[in-house]
Short mmCIF file of all heavy atoms in Angstrom, two decimals:
data_model
loop_
_atom_site.label_atom_id
_atom_site.label_comp_id
_atom_site.label_asym_id
_atom_site.label_seq_id
_atom_site.Cartn_x
_atom_site.Cartn_y
_atom_site.Cartn_z
N PHE A 604 -25.19 29.91 -16.80
CA PHE A 604 -24.57 29.72 -18.15
C PHE A 604 -24.93 28.34 -18.73
O PHE A 604 -25.28 28.21 -19.90
CB PHE A 604 -23.08 29.85 -18.13
CG PHE A 604 -22.40 29.81 -19.47
CD1 PHE A 604 -22.30 30.93 -20.26
CD2 PHE A 604 -21.92 28.59 -19.94
CE1 PHE A 604 -21.71 30.84 -21.52
CE2 PHE A 604 -21.35 28.51 -21.20
CZ PHE A 604 -21.20 29.61 -21.98
N SER A 605 -24.90 27.37 -17.89
CA SER A 605 -25.12 25.98 -18.34
C SER A 605 -25.71 25.15 -17.21
O SER A 605 -25.56 25.51 -16.05
CB SER A 605 -23.86 25.35 -18.82
OG SER A 605 -22.91 25.23 -17.84
N ILE A 606 -26.33 24.05 -17.57
CA ILE A 606 -26.96 23.12 -16.60
C ILE A 606 -26.46 21.75 -16.87
O ILE A 606 -26.58 21.23 -17.99
CB ILE A 606 -28.51 23.24 -16.70
CG1 ILE A 606 -29.04 24.60 -16.33
CG2 ILE A 606 -29.14 22.13 -15.82
CD1 ILE A 606 -30.49 24.78 -16.50
N HIS A 607 -25.97 21.10 -15.82
CA HIS A 607 -25.60 19.66 -15.98
C HIS A 607 -26.89 18.84 -15.73
O HIS A 607 -27.54 18.96 -14.75
CB HIS A 607 -24.55 19.27 -14.95
CG HIS A 607 -23.14 19.63 -15.38
ND1 HIS A 607 -22.04 19.21 -14.70
CD2 HIS A 607 -22.66 20.24 -16.49
CE1 HIS A 607 -20.93 19.60 -15.35
NE2 HIS A 607 -21.32 20.22 -16.40
N LEU A 608 -27.11 17.89 -16.63
CA LEU A 608 -28.21 17.02 -16.59
C LEU A 608 -27.80 15.62 -16.14
O LEU A 608 -26.87 15.02 -16.70
CB LEU A 608 -28.93 16.92 -17.90
CG LEU A 608 -29.75 18.14 -18.39
CD1 LEU A 608 -30.33 17.83 -19.77
CD2 LEU A 608 -30.85 18.44 -17.40
N LYS A 609 -28.50 15.09 -15.18
CA LYS A 609 -28.40 13.67 -14.75
C LYS A 609 -29.64 13.32 -14.06
O LYS A 609 -30.47 14.21 -13.70
CB LYS A 609 -27.17 13.46 -13.81
CG LYS A 609 -27.13 14.42 -12.60
CD LYS A 609 -25.99 14.07 -11.69
CE LYS A 609 -24.62 14.27 -12.33
NZ LYS A 609 -24.30 15.78 -12.37
N ASP A 610 -29.99 12.01 -13.94
CA ASP A 610 -31.20 11.59 -13.31
C ASP A 610 -30.85 10.96 -11.95
O ASP A 610 -30.04 9.96 -11.91
CB ASP A 610 -31.96 10.59 -14.20
CG ASP A 610 -33.43 10.50 -13.82
OD1 ASP A 610 -33.85 11.12 -12.85
OD2 ASP A 610 -34.16 9.79 -14.57
N LYS A 611 -31.35 11.52 -10.90
CA LYS A 611 -31.04 11.05 -9.58
C LYS A 611 -32.33 10.85 -8.76
O LYS A 611 -33.36 11.45 -9.10
CB LYS A 611 -30.12 11.99 -8.82
CG LYS A 611 -28.79 12.26 -9.49
CD LYS A 611 -27.88 13.10 -8.61
CE LYS A 611 -27.25 12.22 -7.52
NZ LYS A 611 -26.16 12.91 -6.80
N THR A 612 -32.25 10.10 -7.71
CA THR A 612 -33.34 10.09 -6.74
C THR A 612 -33.15 11.28 -5.83
O THR A 612 -32.08 11.85 -5.72
CB THR A 612 -33.32 8.76 -5.90
OG1 THR A 612 -32.02 8.69 -5.27
CG2 THR A 612 -33.49 7.53 -6.80
N GLY A 613 -34.25 11.66 -5.14
CA GLY A 613 -34.23 12.85 -4.36
C GLY A 613 -33.67 12.55 -2.90
O GLY A 613 -33.30 11.44 -2.59
N LYS A 614 -33.66 13.62 -2.16
CA LYS A 614 -33.09 13.59 -0.79
C LYS A 614 -33.74 12.54 0.11
O LYS A 614 -33.11 11.90 0.94
CB LYS A 614 -33.17 15.00 -0.19
CG LYS A 614 -32.61 15.09 1.26
CD LYS A 614 -32.83 16.49 1.77
CE LYS A 614 -32.29 16.63 3.18
NZ LYS A 614 -32.48 18.01 3.71
N ASN A 615 -35.05 12.45 -0.04
CA ASN A 615 -35.88 11.59 0.88
C ASN A 615 -36.29 10.26 0.28
O ASN A 615 -37.11 9.55 0.81
CB ASN A 615 -37.06 12.38 1.44
CG ASN A 615 -36.67 13.58 2.17
OD1 ASN A 615 -35.73 13.58 3.01
ND2 ASN A 615 -37.34 14.71 1.89
N ALA A 616 -35.72 9.96 -0.92
CA ALA A 616 -36.12 8.73 -1.59
C ALA A 616 -35.35 7.53 -0.98
O ALA A 616 -34.47 7.71 -0.09
CB ALA A 616 -35.80 8.82 -3.06
N ASN A 617 -35.68 6.35 -1.43
CA ASN A 617 -34.99 5.17 -0.94
C ASN A 617 -34.66 4.26 -2.18
O ASN A 617 -35.58 3.71 -2.75
CB ASN A 617 -35.84 4.37 0.03
CG ASN A 617 -35.12 3.17 0.63
OD1 ASN A 617 -33.89 3.12 0.60
ND2 ASN A 617 -35.86 2.16 1.12
N PRO A 618 -33.39 4.27 -2.60
CA PRO A 618 -32.25 4.91 -2.02
C PRO A 618 -32.24 6.39 -2.29
O PRO A 618 -32.74 6.84 -3.36
CB PRO A 618 -31.03 4.20 -2.69
CG PRO A 618 -31.59 3.84 -4.01
CD PRO A 618 -33.03 3.46 -3.79
N ALA A 619 -31.62 7.17 -1.40
CA ALA A 619 -31.65 8.64 -1.56
C ALA A 619 -30.39 9.07 -2.38
O ALA A 619 -29.39 8.44 -2.36
CB ALA A 619 -31.58 9.31 -0.18
N ASN A 620 -30.57 10.19 -3.09
CA ASN A 620 -29.49 10.86 -3.78
C ASN A 620 -28.62 9.88 -4.58
O ASN A 620 -27.39 9.83 -4.38
CB ASN A 620 -28.64 11.67 -2.76
CG ASN A 620 -27.62 12.57 -3.42
OD1 ASN A 620 -27.78 13.02 -4.53
ND2 ASN A 620 -26.54 12.81 -2.70
N THR A 621 -29.20 9.15 -5.47
CA THR A 621 -28.51 8.05 -6.18
C THR A 621 -28.66 8.26 -7.63
O THR A 621 -29.76 8.49 -8.17
CB THR A 621 -29.10 6.71 -5.77
OG1 THR A 621 -28.94 6.49 -4.36
CG2 THR A 621 -28.37 5.53 -6.53
N ASN A 622 -27.54 8.16 -8.40
CA ASN A 622 -27.56 8.25 -9.84
C ASN A 622 -28.27 7.05 -10.41
O ASN A 622 -27.97 5.92 -10.08
CB ASN A 622 -26.11 8.37 -10.36
CG ASN A 622 -25.44 9.70 -10.08
OD1 ASN A 622 -25.93 10.72 -10.47
ND2 ASN A 622 -24.30 9.61 -9.38
N MET A 623 -29.14 7.37 -11.43
CA MET A 623 -29.93 6.31 -12.03
C MET A 623 -29.89 6.48 -13.55
O MET A 623 -29.66 7.54 -14.05
CB MET A 623 -31.41 6.39 -11.60
CG MET A 623 -31.60 6.33 -10.08
SD MET A 623 -31.32 4.69 -9.38
CE MET A 623 -32.77 3.86 -9.97
N PRO A 624 -30.08 5.35 -14.30
CA PRO A 624 -30.24 5.49 -15.78
C PRO A 624 -31.43 6.43 -16.00
O PRO A 624 -32.41 6.49 -15.29
CB PRO A 624 -30.62 4.07 -16.19
CG PRO A 624 -29.97 3.15 -15.18
CD PRO A 624 -30.11 3.93 -13.86
N TRP A 625 -31.33 7.26 -17.03
CA TRP A 625 -32.32 8.28 -17.30
C TRP A 625 -33.69 7.66 -17.51
O TRP A 625 -33.82 6.70 -18.28
CB TRP A 625 -31.90 9.10 -18.50
CG TRP A 625 -30.77 10.06 -18.18
CD1 TRP A 625 -29.80 9.91 -17.25
CD2 TRP A 625 -30.50 11.30 -18.83
NE1 TRP A 625 -28.94 10.96 -17.26
CE2 TRP A 625 -29.36 11.85 -18.21
CE3 TRP A 625 -31.15 11.99 -19.83
CZ2 TRP A 625 -28.82 13.06 -18.58
CZ3 TRP A 625 -30.62 13.27 -20.17
CH2 TRP A 625 -29.42 13.77 -19.58
N GLY A 626 -34.65 8.24 -16.80
CA GLY A 626 -36.02 7.67 -16.85
C GLY A 626 -36.36 6.85 -15.67
O GLY A 626 -37.50 6.49 -15.43
N GLN A 627 -35.32 6.46 -14.89
CA GLN A 627 -35.58 5.60 -13.72
C GLN A 627 -35.40 6.36 -12.37
O GLN A 627 -35.72 5.85 -11.34
CB GLN A 627 -34.60 4.40 -13.71
CG GLN A 627 -34.82 3.47 -14.84
CD GLN A 627 -33.89 2.27 -14.85
OE1 GLN A 627 -33.44 1.90 -13.80
NE2 GLN A 627 -33.61 1.72 -16.04
#
């Protein structure tokens, strides 16, 4: 029905699974 949008790093990134300003 709907999709929540946020920009995060991925599971294997450093730092992992972290909320970031959009575009970063």
Side-chain angles (χ1 to χ4, degrees):
F604 184 86
S605 62
I606 296 173
H607 275 188
L608 288 177
K609 53 176 65 75
D610 200 355
K611 301 188 77 169
T612 58
K614 179 182 180 181
N615 299 316
N617 184 21
N620 190 26
T621 301
N622 289 301
M623 302 290 286
W625 286 29
Q627 296 182 27

